[in-house]
Amino acid sequence: MGCSFSGLNGLYDAVNGGGDVWINENRFKIIRQLGEGGFAYVFLVKEVLSDPSNPGISKKFKDPSHISDDGTYAMKKVLIQNSEQLEMVREEIRVSSLFSHPNLLPLLDHAIISVKVAQDQSLKHEAYLLFPVHLDGTLLDNAKTMNAKREFFSTSDVLQIFRQLCAGLKHMHSLDPPYAHNDVKPGNVLLTHRKGQPPLAILMDFGSARPARRQIRSRSEALQLQEWAAEHVSAPFRAPELWDCPSQCNIDERTDIWSLGCTLYAIMYGVSPFEHALGESGGSLQLAIVNAQIKWPTERKPPYPEGLHQFVTWMLQPQATVRPRIDDILIHIDKLISKFSH
Ligand SMILES: Nc1ncnc2c1ncn2[C@@H]1O[C@H](COP(=O)(O)OP(=O)(O)OP(=O)(O)O)[C@@H](O)[C@H]1O
């Protein structure tokens, strides 16, 4: 495979060479792989600064809190197979640049390059996205490890992690037009443990984020939305109206509130409240969700106050028009924090 130097979108190139990766005019050494997604690999990288007087990538940052003390970052390499995927990455880059909030993972830099395939000389694209790195894993990783050891987050940590997610989401829901994240789930939350403080929680992956409000006025529009959701919104966290969309309805950012309710449950118990129906047919997962059949832990004494369970049930209101909004959620979480945090 050879590399073309023609930037796309007026961008400079990220070019593989000598084991290092260039993102525009900055060079990074790959240290190790951190994770992988559908068509993406995420690497821990360290900036290579050959000239000590050159501040490197940090000179691009408007927010000084984005500067990495030791020059390490997370670099996501996206393999692009077709024009639809190219469009999706471009949209992820565009949408990411709309947000700026301490609980939303910022996109620090990006480049899309064209690569010539040696065999047939066809052109392929690769995208390189640079983010701050958070080495303590996702909320999903943490919940799985804790579950295996039969450990639980304290009530106070559950509330503080959840509050941070709500703060990030409020930023998205308050834009004009409001944006929905569309894939709020524990696997898309990065955690950083801090001494003497609750973990820092950061919502990531804006690949499915879109303007939240849509008017559905026909059967075909409803089916189109369901098809889009099936591809972009993780099933155990997907709101009922995205499974079974009426032909006449208004969809709004409260699809995220449903996913938030499932995520709060998962912070406590490690899985979505509907995950039990996953092993069965897809149909029964849908049925469990549209009927809001929440499966509560069967242990006699769950470690969390009943108020938290009621909070989950409130968010998991199958009828979207009466589901609470993010501002309602924030008011309630602050009440719970003052009641249960010491
Ligand atoms: N900034 C980061 N710091 C540390 N680890 C990260 C970071 N970003 C991503 N990861 C790791 O890489 C994994 C995959 O990242 P990400 O979810 O962004 O990929 P994706 O292709 O969008 O995945 P999916 O197909 O699940 O949507 C994450 O689960 C996480 O373990």
Side-chain angles (χ1 to χ4, degrees), residues 170-221:
K170 181 181 159 67
H171 182 78
M172 298 181 70
H173 289 189
S174 306
L175 290 174
D176 184 15
Y179 271 70
H181 180 284
N182 286 315
D183 207 13
V184 175
K185 60 176 181 179
N188 279 338
V189 178
L190 289 164
L191 279 194
T192 301
H193 298 295
R194 304 178 291 190
K195 248 198 166 151
Q197 278 188 74
L200 172 70
I202 295 194
L203 188 59
M204 65 165 174
D205 199 348
F206 303 109
S208 306
R210 293 286 179 277
R213 298 183 182 174
R214 304 175 195 214
Q215 293 189 333
I216 303 297
R217 292 292 174 267
S218 67
R219 187 77 205 121
S220 87
E221 282 177 7

Side-chain angles (χ1 to χ4, degrees), residues 66-260:
H66 293 162
I67 299 174
S68 158
D69 293 338
D70 60 359
T72 57
Y73 296 93
M75 189 200 71
K76 183 164 160 178
K77 174 179 176 173
V78 188
L79 307 173
I80 298 165
Q81 314 285 325
N82 52 44
S83 54
E84 199 186 320
Q85 283 177 344
L86 179 60
E87 209 32 62
M88 273 167 56
V89 175
R90 285 190 173 140
E91 184 64 4
E92 180 173 349
I93 293 168
R94 185 190 73 78
V95 168
S96 300
S97 66
L98 299 174
F99 313 134
S100 170
H101 188 278
N103 301 109
L104 300 177
L105 189 71
L107 176 62
L108 301 174
D109 203 4
H110 64 271
I112 300 177
I113 62 158
S114 44
V115 181
K116 205 173 259 173
V117 181
Q119 287 104 323
D120 59 1
Q121 299 292 297
S122 62
L123 268 188
K124 261 187 25 177
H125 295 109
E126 289 173 355
Y128 292 80
L129 312 183
L130 193 74
F131 303 99
V133 67
H134 294 271
L135 289 175
D136 292 334
T138 65
L139 187 51
L140 180 66
D141 303 330
N142 279 262
K144 273 187 180 163
T145 325
M146 290 174 82
N147 237 282
K149 294 195 267 181
R150 306 213 104 263
E151 288 174 1
F152 295 92
F153 284 113
S154 67
T155 298
S156 166
D157 280 357
V158 169
L159 293 171
Q160 294 289 351
I161 291 170
F162 188 70
R163 199 202 182 287
Q164 295 174 70
L165 296 185
C166 294
L169 218 52
K170 181 181 159 67
H171 182 78
M172 298 181 70
H173 289 189
S174 306
L175 290 174
D176 184 15
Y179 271 70
H181 180 284
N182 286 315
D183 207 13
V184 175
K185 60 176 181 179
N188 279 338
V189 178
L190 289 164
L191 279 194
T192 301
H193 298 295
R194 304 178 291 190
K195 248 198 166 151
Q197 278 188 74
L200 172 70
I202 295 194
L203 188 59
M204 65 165 174
D205 199 348
F206 303 109
S208 306
R210 293 286 179 277
R213 298 183 182 174
R214 304 175 195 214
Q215 293 189 333
I216 303 297
R217 292 292 174 267
S218 67
R219 187 77 205 121
S220 87
E221 282 177 7
L223 290 176
Q224 229 178 325
L225 178 67
Q226 284 175 209
E227 223 170 88
W228 180 86
E231 207 180 309
H232 290 91
V233 189
S234 301
F237 296 84
R238 193 186 305 154
E241 63 273 26
L242 298 177
W243 286 96
D244 191 9
C245 181
S247 303
Q248 296 286 326
C249 73
N250 294 331
I251 298 290
D252 68 24
E253 56 278 17
R254 282 175 287 182
T255 49
D256 277 348
I257 302 296
W258 178 277
S259 310
L260 257 188

